[in-house]
């Protein structure tokens, strides 16, 4: 299959949206830019179209898709909002939608089972990206869209990265430039509590941080016990993985290079003790010079890809501080470093 690439510049936007909608209406899949990462979208209400998403990504059928809506008023098409959490859902969606927050809610019976992998719940979000929103609005119905990478691989934050992941497997990629957040959305489930603020079960750390959520509820991390079925089925320990082995170090002293092996460093600022530690084949910085977590988040998957394609034998990553966005960055680094 030939994969077409269309630009979503201001002049070409109308054409790009129309091309995407035509394919979606025909039950096809289309890669679209979100503010987080590029997504592979299909008509959420069409089970055959959703099946094509699983096929193109080689995604196992037990890993449910996130459903995207164009506006808050469409929520009832895919999800139910139980009375006891209605006020909280209102507050959260007013504060963070459109934007990178995904809510896990009871699913609407009309939503095909394949989208939620048979779960009674659905993960819903409303993207803030102008292209994603325009397509979602013009299509007029919810879109199921996981990240546009092959299963377990690094999420794409540019159209070029989607082409490398899914080129030849999908008919169209809409190029909306580089993603402005660079990490997948934050995922929470809400639990009401008598006389207390609700609990937010954090299924995936992301751009909407714990600090940002705290005014609305108490954030608790969902932990899997070893051997459990993962709580968010896609949150397997090994995920976002480059093909090259990646080790995440706690401190410089933990590095013991093997003779003859070529190492690349995934550095935070591009300077400091990790950089001086070794004669690295290549050093790639997440936030060159300045050390800003927001910049590091935007660049993380791009930098992982550059190191992965550089031909080094091993990628060594230095840690970032685990506050604010650093929580989501460390989550992705740990998964990239996990045993496969
Ligand atoms: O930023 C994002 O969320 C991007 C863009 C494209 O919107 N999408 C994305 O989708 O990251 P995906 O499929 O790569 O990640 C969705 C995660 C998976 O780990 C999946 O297991 C989990 O959400 N998930 C989906 N439905 C769920 C549900 N009902 N309960 C728990 N976890 C769910
Ligand atoms: Mg993904």
């Amino acid at each position: 299959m030939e994969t077409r690439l269309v630009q979503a510049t201001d002049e070409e936007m109308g054409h790009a949206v129309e091309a995407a909608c035509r394919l979606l209406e025909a039950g096809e899949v289309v890669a679209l830019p979100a503010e987080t990462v590029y997504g592979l979208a299909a008509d959420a209400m069409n089970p055959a179209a959703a099946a094509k998403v699983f096929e193109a990504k080689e995604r196992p059928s037990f890993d449910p898709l996130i459903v995207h809506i164009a506006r808050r008023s469409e929520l009832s098409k895919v999800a139910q909002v139980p009375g006891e959490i209605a006020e909280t859902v209102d507050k959260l969606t007013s504060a963070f939608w459109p934007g990178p927050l995904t809510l896990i809610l009871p699913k609407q019976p009309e939503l095909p089972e394949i989208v939620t992998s048979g779960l009674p719940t659905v993960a819903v979000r409303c993207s803030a990206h102008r292209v994603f929103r325009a397509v979602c609005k013009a299509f007029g119905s919810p879109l199921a869209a996981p990240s546009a990478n092959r299963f377990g691989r690094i999420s794409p934050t540019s159209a070029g990265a989607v082409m490398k992941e899914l080129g030849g497997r999908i008919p169209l990629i809409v190029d909306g430039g580089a993603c402005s957040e660079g990490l997948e959305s934050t995922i929470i489930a809400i639990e009401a509590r008598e006389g207390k603020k609700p609990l937010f079960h954090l299924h995936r750390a992301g751009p909407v941080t714990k600090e940002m959520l705290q005014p609305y509820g108490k954030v608790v991390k969902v932990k899997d016990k070893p051997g459990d079925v993962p709580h968010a089925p896609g949150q397997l320990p090994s995920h976002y993985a480059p093909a090259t082995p990646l080790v995440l170090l706690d401190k410089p002293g933990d590095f013991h290079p093997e003779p003859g092996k070529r190492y690349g460093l995934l550095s935070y600022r591009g300077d400091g003790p990790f950089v001086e530690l070794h004669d690295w084949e290549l050093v790639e910085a997440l936030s060159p010079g300045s050390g800003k977590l927001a910049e590091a988040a935007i660049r993380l998957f791009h930098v992982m890809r550059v190191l992965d394609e550089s031909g080094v034998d091993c990628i060594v990553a230095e840690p970032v501080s685990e506050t604010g966005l650093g929580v989501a960055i460390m989550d992705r680094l740990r998964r990239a470093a996990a045993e496969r």
Side-chain angles (χ1 to χ4, degrees):
M1 179 189 300
E2 195 206 336
T3 302
R4 254 192 334 134
L5 192 68
V6 297
Q7 303 295 323
T9 52
D10 289 347
E11 307 84 67
E12 297 291 308
M13 181 78 164
H15 168 70
V17 171
E18 202 191 298
C21 285
R22 219 177 301 130
L23 284 165
L24 292 167
E25 277 153 19
E28 276 301 334
V29 294
V30 174
L32 300 174
E35 72 280 43
T36 50
V37 301
Y38 273 70
L40 183 64
D43 179 355
M45 307 314 264
N46 176 348
K52 287 191 181 166
V53 173
F54 285 93
E55 191 186 306
K57 280 182 58 95
E58 295 172 40
R59 183 172 177 124
S61 58
F62 61 75
D63 191 0
L65 309 178
I66 291 187
V67 175
H68 297 63
I69 54 177
R71 47 179 79 84
R72 165 74 223 253
S73 55
E74 282 181 3
L75 187 55
S76 59
K77 288 189 183 174
V78 294
Q80 297 164 347
V81 180
E84 69 270 19
I85 61 167
E87 198 188 326
T88 306
V89 169
D90 257 349
K91 284 186 188 161
L92 289 173
T93 55
S94 313
F96 299 109
W97 281 9
L101 179 67
T102 297
L103 302 177
I104 297 178
L105 293 167
K107 88 186 257 291
Q108 240 359 313
E110 294 76 35
L111 185 69
E113 296 267 312
I114 183 173
V115 173
T116 59
S117 300
L119 291 177
T121 54
V122 57
V124 199
R125 86 178 200 91
C126 177
S127 170
H129 196 287
R130 64 185 178 93
V131 175
F132 209 109
R133 294 200 79 189
V135 173
C136 222
K137 274 186 190 158
F139 185 60
S141 189
L143 295 175
S147 50
N149 49 281
R150 277 170 286 149
F151 183 69
R153 297 288 317 267
I154 307 171
S155 293
T157 51
S158 67
V162 179
M163 192 58 100
K164 282 184 189 148
E165 287 289 322
L166 299 177
R169 300 175 173 212
I170 61 173
L172 182 70
I173 301 171
V174 180
D175 186 349
C179 300
S180 62
E181 299 283 354
L183 293 177
E184 303 87 348
S185 60
T186 304
I187 305 181
I188 61 167
I190 305 164
E191 184 191 334
R193 294 189 298 173
E194 272 298 317
K196 283 195 197 160
K197 275 193 178 176
L199 278 186
F200 297 156
H201 298 276
L202 183 66
H203 285 250
R204 179 169 75 186
V208 175
T209 61
K210 183 176 174 183
E211 290 81 354
M212 291 158 78
L213 289 168
Q214 259 158 355
Y216 307 93
K218 183 175 156 64
V219 181
V220 288
K221 213 176 152 197
V222 180
K223 278 224 173 72
D224 293 323
K225 289 189 241 71
D228 269 6
V229 175
H231 56 79
Q235 294 299 83
L236 299 170
S238 154
H239 216 87
Y240 314 102
T244 314
L246 184 147
V247 290
L248 174 62
L249 299 184
D250 280 334
K251 49 183 190 307
D254 294 347
F255 182 54
H256 306 291
E258 284 175 41
K261 257 198 177 183
R262 293 170 316 137
Y263 292 89
L265 179 69
L266 194 160
S267 163
Y268 182 36
R269 296 167 40 120
D271 55 17
F274 281 93
V275 175
E276 284 147 29
L277 199 61
H278 183 72
D279 185 14
W280 304 102
E281 194 77 18
L282 171 74
V283 176
E284 286 289 327
L286 294 177
S287 180
S290 49
K292 291 202 176 71
L293 285 171
E295 186 185 21
I298 292 171
R299 286 175 45 80
L300 177 66
F301 290 142
H302 167 71
V303 164
M304 268 196 209
R305 253 173 217 287
V306 171
L307 282 158
D308 198 15
E309 289 166 7
S310 73
V312 295
D313 299 310
C314 179
I315 302 168
V316 174
E318 71 172 82
V320 304
S321 75
E322 241 170 324
T323 55
L325 268 175
V327 176
I329 295 172
M330 285 297 282
D331 169 73
R332 305 308 188 271
L333 285 175
R334 284 200 185 98
R335 288 178 205 282
E339 287 284 329
R340 287 166 228 165

